[in-house]
Amino acid sequence: MVGAMAVVFGDIGTSPLYTLKEAFSPHYGLQPNHDNVLGLLSLVFWSLMLVVALKYVTVILRADNEGEGGIMALMALAQRSLSKGSRSVYVIGLVGIFGAALFFSDGVITPAISVLAAVEGLEVVSPELEVIVIPVTLVVLIALFALQRHDTARVARLVFGPIAGIWFLTLAVLGIADILHAPEVLKAVNPLWAARFFADHAWGGIFILGAVILAVTGGEAIYTDLGRFGARPIRRAWYFFVLPSLMLNYLGQGALVLENPIAARNPFYMGVPEWGLIPLIVLSTAATVMASQAVITGGFSVAQQAMQLGYIPRMTVRHTSSHNISQIYIPGINWTMMVIVVGLVIGFGSSSALANAYGVSMSMTMLIDTVLLAVVARALWPRWRVWVLPFCLALLCIDLAFFVANFVKIPQGGWFPFALGIVLFTMLRTWRRGRKLLRAEIQKEGIDLRTFLPSLMLAPPVRVPGTAVFLTADKNVVPHAFLHNLKHNKVLHEQNVFLTVATLNVPYSHKRVIVEKIGDGFYKVLLRFGFMETPDVPLALMQTCDVCDLTMDPMDTTYFLSRESIVACARRDGMPIWRDKLFATMHRNAAPVAGYFHIPGNRLVELGTQVEI
């Protein structure tokens, strides 16, 4: 539960730093009077209850893909519930990948806005300190990203857990202290105040949801971290600690604004005694670092899932812990996120400006989650779909309201996460489509394995001791590397393995190795990995000794693979030429197959081939 508070709820736990501050900013023109304060607090309370408590914590946590969560896992679960090869599977794939791209694009805003909002407390201490807000924020963020190469899980256990406990306790204490001065705010739990807010402001009232959504950002992380903590600790942490602390603090900020409307300028800090400002700023900064760490770790996890499912190129993945296999570090993702986050802090300059960019992509991600949940409930929950499907319809209306409210923020900065999401989606789809075209070209020029081997054995070349492993994407086609080896070396190993590595749409594979003995020392081997597993090919091949009489001596095994050089060709059907060139660039910069599959470099032979797409 303590770990869940630190990681799962790190993002949503720092939302009180800027949510009400943004709601009373001049951008929305909301006056800090009695009815507006109670209406706004009612909207925050019921958003937390309906979107976070009911949708994510209570319902969507049940849609686990063999214990794993997140939009990629939910997409795979929804696709598995449909007829294989149907058009619906393709559409669900598009929707899920678009949601993953939007999740990442909005996720990079979390470190920028949360750390910046915490450090902006210095302005409350003294207006002269405003000039150091940006430099201090950048130092904190750069140091955080630089530390990712080390075992951050150990730091999280020893440091972030206690920080989380102190942070949520502080939120509750600050809230109670302010509520005692204006207990009137407790009436905000009545949903009639939210309804009255919309009645007083007519259609213009819906746009305040662009600020209210800041209170629920981080809800997706609750589902993403399901596999790390499990549903029960997450639910207990939310209902017993996080939700009460958040609501007490929001109500306390509302009470402070009722008592002193000037406090709407920064209601989180302005209700704190002067002696407590500096300690609170330090604690807030530590809490936002905790939230940022959760976002970065989540980015690594989503990237690994996308890599395994074939949506992004292979990247270098390093394990930073010898005890926790899920503790990984992906340098390419880490430094890309750092550049984007630093650019956001410098470009927007304040948490209020960043708040205009925040929530656009998140509202669309929440909408996609609801659609995918409805698909899963309809197919896999026959006993519950009677009430889950109407619930999804109600959630769809709420998500659409949040989307409309945030869509108007696009000219003020919301264009950035939306544009970044479109770019990421284009790259993901280009890589997926390009790999399909590449495989089709290889199959078109390939030779059928079943007819080739009998003809080869009529006049076999010289046999040499040892085992040769030829990696191929199609187990029924002769690998190019095998043909090149015959052509140039004119030898045949004693044992020849045609190896295909498959990634399943489940987190973990229950049957790792499938071996088919062809005869004359030839074998077809299929290695199956889940999308949460690290594909260690040599280690998995050692298990073949338990399956058949194939012997795999690591010191007597050579791996052969062909490295394709992609040539974009406008004359061929498939993708537009610019996407062909984009795929060729991505393919050229992908991490080597050998490193991705943990194949020793001194046991590897690579043979090149050129393919037009």
Side-chain angles (χ1 to χ4, degrees):
M1 290 171 63
V2 174
M5 284 195 296
V7 177
V8 179
F9 301 109
D11 187 0
I12 198 171
T14 55
S15 295
L17 284 166
Y18 45 79
T19 298
L20 291 191
K21 173 186 174 183
E22 170 63 14
F24 288 112
S25 66
H27 175 72
Y28 292 100
L30 194 65
Q31 297 299 318
N33 56 44
H34 176 274
D35 288 0
N36 284 342
V37 169
L38 264 64
L40 180 62
L41 291 176
S42 186
L43 286 172
V44 170
F45 175 77
W46 286 105
S47 295
L48 287 170
M49 293 300 297
L50 293 175
V51 176
V52 182
L54 283 179
K55 176 181 175 179
Y56 283 105
V57 177
T58 302
V59 179
I60 207 168
L61 282 183
R62 300 178 183 273
D64 64 292
N65 193 337
E66 297 191 10
E68 293 295 331
I71 193 166
M72 299 290 290
L74 185 62
M75 178 196 71
L77 190 64
Q79 287 180 319
R80 203 161 68 239
S81 68
L82 301 170
S83 301
K84 190 174 181 180
S86 66
R87 183 71 176 176
S88 300
V89 173
Y90 174 74
V91 173
I92 290 297
L94 288 178
V95 171
I97 291 303
F98 188 50
L102 293 173
F103 172 72
F104 181 85
S105 66
D106 226 25
V108 295
I109 302 179
T110 297
I113 190 174
S114 56
V115 176
L116 192 53
V119 178
E120 282 175 345
L122 294 172
E123 299 176 6
V124 180
V125 176
S126 174
E128 288 79 13
L129 296 177
E130 181 181 358
V131 294
I132 68 170
V133 169
I134 298 297
V136 171
T137 301
L138 293 178
V139 169
V140 171
L141 289 171
I142 292 173
L144 175 63
F145 282 101
L147 289 173
Q148 295 306 309
R149 69 184 68 183
H150 304 291
D151 185 3
T152 55
R154 182 177 302 175
V155 177
R157 286 193 302 270
L158 299 178
V159 180
F160 290 160
I163 288 176
I166 297 172
W167 172 250
F168 284 110
L169 179 62
T170 302
L171 289 181
V173 170
L174 291 175
I176 293 172
D178 289 328
I179 290 172
L180 293 176
H181 292 90
E184 174 79 6
V185 293
L186 294 175
K187 294 181 180 179
V189 299
N190 187 342
L192 292 178
W193 282 103
R196 183 174 178 178
F197 181 88
F198 286 123
D200 291 343
H201 295 83
W203 282 103
I206 196 173
F207 297 114
I208 198 63
L209 294 178
V212 174
I213 196 174
L214 299 177
V216 299
T217 51
E220 167 69 19
I222 297 173
Y223 183 48
T224 302
D225 291 313
L226 172 63
R228 187 177 305 179
F229 296 99
R232 184 174 296 178
I234 291 175
R235 290 195 180 103
R236 288 181 176 178
W238 170 255
Y239 285 115
F240 293 128
F241 295 99
V242 179
L243 178 60
S245 299
L246 288 176
M247 276 317 306
L248 285 172
N249 193 264
Y250 282 125
L251 291 171
Q253 291 186 43
L256 179 65
V257 174
L258 282 182
E259 189 178 19
N260 179 19
I262 299 177
R265 185 164 54 91
N266 197 331
F268 182 81
Y269 283 116
M270 293 191 71
V272 180
E274 187 175 347
W275 58 266
L277 273 175
I278 296 298
L280 183 60
I281 291 171
V282 174
L283 177 61
S284 301
T285 304
T288 55
V289 169
M290 174 185 71
S292 302
Q293 176 62 47
V295 170
I296 296 169
T297 305
F300 293 159
S301 179
V302 171
Q304 185 188 35
Q305 293 182 25
M307 213 183 307
Q308 288 287 73
L309 291 172
Y311 284 100
I312 63 175
R314 297 178 302 275
M315 304 181 77
T316 301
V317 179
R318 298 174 185 167
H319 291 267
T320 58
S321 173
S322 58
H323 306 288
N324 186 1
I325 193 172
S326 64
Q327 182 63 30
I328 60 173
Y329 167 63
I330 305 179
I333 299 296
N334 183 68
W335 300 121
T336 300
M337 290 182 69
M338 190 199 76
V339 170
I340 295 174
V341 170
V342 168
L344 286 171
V345 172
I346 297 174
F348 284 87
S350 70
S351 60
S352 296
L354 273 170
N356 290 327
Y358 209 17
V360 176
S361 297
M362 186 59 66
S363 62
M364 298 183 69
T365 305
M366 289 163 49
L367 186 65
I368 291 172
D369 282 342
T370 302
V371 173
L372 295 179
L373 176 64
V375 174
V376 171
R378 181 178 178 274
L380 302 181
W381 299 349
R383 290 188 300 173
W384 295 350
R385 62 187 177 193
V386 176
W387 65 270
V388 173
L389 291 179
F391 177 64
C392 287
L393 185 60
L395 287 175
L396 196 65
C397 296
I398 296 174
D399 293 337
L400 284 171
F402 277 119
F403 173 71
V404 171
N406 283 276
F407 192 79
V408 298
K409 297 197 300 186
I410 286 182
Q412 287 78 35
W415 60 268
F416 176 80
F418 188 72
L420 180 58
I422 293 294
V423 170
L424 292 174
F425 175 74
T426 302
M427 295 178 69
L428 292 170
R429 287 304 305 169
T430 297
W431 180 255
R432 180 81 166 185
R433 176 63 174 161
R435 280 174 55 86
K436 186 176 181 180
L437 293 174
L438 175 61
R439 187 173 301 141
E441 287 297 323
I442 293 175
Q443 289 176 341
K444 188 187 302 182
E445 300 174 0
I447 304 173
D448 187 81
L449 187 64
R450 292 169 296 181
T451 58
F452 177 78
L453 290 182
S455 61
L456 175 67
M457 298 312 295
L458 292 176
V462 177
R463 304 293 287 253
V464 295
T467 301
V469 179
F470 300 92
L471 278 77
T472 177
D474 191 339
K475 59 183 179 180
N476 296 316
V477 174
V478 180
H480 282 189
F482 180 72
L483 294 175
H484 284 297
N485 185 49
L486 285 177
K487 179 179 179 181
H488 297 291
N489 297 326
K490 298 179 174 59
V491 294
L492 196 61
H493 284 74
E494 184 181 4
Q495 292 186 138
N496 296 273
V497 177
F498 301 118
L499 175 65
T500 302
V501 181
T503 301
L504 310 178
N505 61 354
V506 295
Y508 305 99
S509 173
H510 301 295
K511 187 176 182 181
R512 174 78 67 222
V513 183
I514 299 176
V515 179
E516 179 184 348
K517 186 176 181 180
I518 305 175
D520 295 319
F522 290 95
Y523 301 84
K524 288 199 293 186
V525 177
L526 174 64
L527 295 182
R528 295 150 39 105
F529 295 93
F531 60 77
M532 287 296 294
E533 295 180 294
T534 300
D536 192 328
V537 167
L539 181 62
L541 282 177
M542 293 300 295
Q543 301 175 6
T544 58
C545 300
D546 302 327
V547 180
C548 67
D549 59 352
L550 176 62
T551 58
M552 298 293 298
D553 182 1
M555 300 306 297
D556 201 25
T557 301
T558 304
Y559 295 86
F560 293 83
L561 60 90
S562 89
R563 174 173 291 221
E564 296 86 4
S565 177
I566 308 300
V567 178
C569 183
R571 299 188 306 272
R572 293 179 177 268
D573 296 330
M575 297 186 296
I577 186 65
W578 67 269
R579 290 185 66 189
D580 287 340
K581 293 181 178 179
L582 175 61
F583 174 72
T585 302
M586 295 170 71
H587 189 275
R588 188 166 53 251
N589 290 279
V593 175
Y596 184 72
F597 287 147
H598 294 78
I599 297 173
N602 59 350
R603 312 301 306 173
L604 176 69
V605 176
E606 286 188 303
L607 301 165
T609 182
Q610 186 170 289
V611 181
E612 289 186 352
I613 63 169

